[in-house]
Amino acid sequence: MSASRAGAPWVRRVLIGSALLFLLLFLLLPLAAVFAEALRKGLAAYLEALREPDAWAAIRLTLLTAAIVVPLNLVFGVAAAWAIARFDFRGKAFLTALVDLPFSVSPVVAGLACLLVFGAQGWFGPWLAAHDIRVVFAVPGIVLATVFVTFPFVARELIPLMQAQGSDEEQAAIVLGASGWQTFRRVTLPKIRWGLIHGAILCNARAMGEFGAVSVVSGHIRGRTDTLPLHVEILYDEYQSVAAFAVASLLVLLALATLVIKSLAEWKQERDRKSAGALPLQRPLALQSLTPTLSPGGRGGKAS
C-alpha cells in the first residue's frame, strides 16, 4: 500500500470505525449488560445485594489483600529493577526470567504450588500445623497467591525506565558525597515516580480482580476467605443473578476508577515531560538540591 493511499481519509475512517466497533461489541456492551442485569429488579434489590454481610466480608478481604500486596510489590519491584538496571552480575538473565514467570504460568498452577508448599500435606504443612499456623484456606494463603501473580507489574514498569534513564545522575550524586539513601530518595525516586505509580495502579487492579490462584487456596469459606470475584461466582452458581451482577458491578467500578487514575497519571507524566523539554538545559534539580549540603570534599563537608 502506497504512502498516499495509506494516508487517505477513507482508510483512516475505516480503521477508526473498526476499532470503535470492536470496543463497542467486546467492551462497552458487556459492561453495560453487567449494570443492566444488576439493576433488573430495581435499585432497592441492587443495594440489598451490596448490604449483605457476606458481600461486605468479601469487600473487606479484597481491600485488605490489595493493601498488603501492593506495598510488598512496590518494595520488591524497586529492588528488582534497581538490581537488574544498575548492576551486572552472574544470573542476571535468570532473575529477569523469574520476574516474568507469573506472566507465563497459569494462576491456577500458582495456587496449586502454594498448596504443595503450605498445605496440610505440603512441604511445610506438618510444621505449620504443629505451631497452629494457618496459611492455605486463610488470609495468608490468599495474600501469598496474590503476591505471586502480581509481583511483575511494578518491576516490569521500572526496569526499562531505569535502563533508559541511565545512572549518570546517581553517580554524580555519589561524587558530591550523597549517601545511598540520599541518592535514592532525592535523585532516583523523583525520576521513577510515575513509573512507580503506574505499576502500583496495575498491581492493585490485578490484586482486586484475581480469581484463579485465590480460588485454589481460599477454601471458599463464605464470609471469611471469599474475595469479590469468588463471591460473584458463588452467587451466580446459586442462581442469584441479580446479586451476582450487583457485586460484579463493584469490580467494574473499581476497574473504571483504576483506568481513570492511570489515565490521569499518564497525562501528568506527559505534561511534566513536555514542561521539562521546554526548559533551558541546566543541572538536574535533584542534583541542585544536593549541592547546598554536599560537596566533593565528602558527606556534609565544605568545598576547599
Side-chain angles (χ1 to χ4, degrees):
M1 182 182 292
S2 65
S4 59
R5 182 169 297 181
W10 70 269
V11 175
R12 184 168 60 253
R13 284 193 287 266
V14 168
L15 293 176
I16 295 175
S18 300
L20 292 177
L21 180 63
F22 182 88
L23 291 175
L24 176 65
L25 293 177
F26 296 101
L27 182 64
L28 297 180
L29 284 181
L31 293 180
V34 169
F35 286 98
E37 182 64 21
L39 296 169
R40 180 166 56 87
K41 293 185 179 180
L43 183 61
Y46 177 86
L47 296 177
E48 183 63 28
L50 299 182
R51 285 195 294 261
E52 200 257 341
D54 288 342
W56 272 107
I59 293 171
R60 287 194 298 269
L61 180 57
T62 301
L63 296 178
L64 174 64
T65 302
I68 297 173
V69 166
V70 173
L72 289 176
N73 281 325
L74 285 175
V75 174
F76 169 81
V78 171
W82 187 288
I84 292 172
R86 294 291 186 260
F87 303 102
D88 290 321
F89 53 90
R90 186 173 300 176
K92 179 177 177 178
F94 179 69
L95 177 59
T96 305
L98 285 181
V99 170
D100 292 333
L101 184 63
F103 286 145
S104 57
V105 173
S106 169
V108 175
V109 175
L112 290 174
C114 190
L115 282 179
L116 177 64
V117 176
F118 301 106
Q121 306 301 321
W123 295 346
F124 301 113
W127 185 89
L128 293 171
H131 292 79
D132 196 25
I133 301 174
R134 296 193 62 184
V135 176
V136 297
F137 309 143
V139 175
I142 294 173
V143 171
L144 287 175
T146 308
V147 165
F148 179 86
V149 299
T150 57
F151 77 75
F153 287 98
V154 176
R156 265 295 154 208
E157 286 292 325
L158 295 182
I159 290 171
L161 176 62
M162 296 179 71
Q163 288 175 334
Q165 290 176 343
S167 59
D168 292 344
E169 291 186 20
E170 284 92 344
Q171 293 176 4
I174 293 173
V175 169
L176 289 172
S179 65
W181 171 245
Q182 286 177 313
T183 302
F184 173 76
R185 182 171 60 90
R186 302 173 70 174
V187 179
T188 304
L189 190 58
K191 290 167 55 180
I192 66 172
R193 66 183 185 277
W194 291 115
L196 200 63
I197 292 172
H198 193 263
I201 291 170
L202 295 179
C203 176
N204 181 70
R206 179 63 187 273
M208 290 190 295
E210 175 55 31
F211 178 84
V214 172
S215 178
V216 175
V217 302
S218 72
H220 290 275
I221 305 174
R222 296 189 70 163
R224 292 179 58 188
T225 62
D226 276 339
T227 58
L228 278 176
L230 300 184
H231 189 58
V232 170
E233 181 197 31
I234 290 175
L235 292 175
Y236 193 78
D237 289 342
E238 293 177 348
Y239 301 101
Q240 301 182 49
S241 61
V242 172
F245 281 99
V247 177
S249 68
L250 287 181
L251 291 172
V252 174
L253 291 175
L254 288 173
L256 293 176
T258 300
L259 181 62
V260 170
I261 296 172
K262 173 177 173 291
S263 300
L264 289 175
E266 291 176 343
W267 171 79
K268 184 68 166 58
Q269 181 183 15
E270 182 66 17
R271 191 184 68 173
D272 289 351
R273 186 186 65 82
K274 290 181 178 179
S275 299
L279 294 175
L281 186 62
Q282 58 183 357
R283 172 181 286 187
L285 293 176
L287 295 184
Q288 290 182 24
S289 66
L290 286 169
T291 51
T293 57
L294 301 174
S295 68
R299 292 180 177 84
K302 296 182 179 180
S304 60

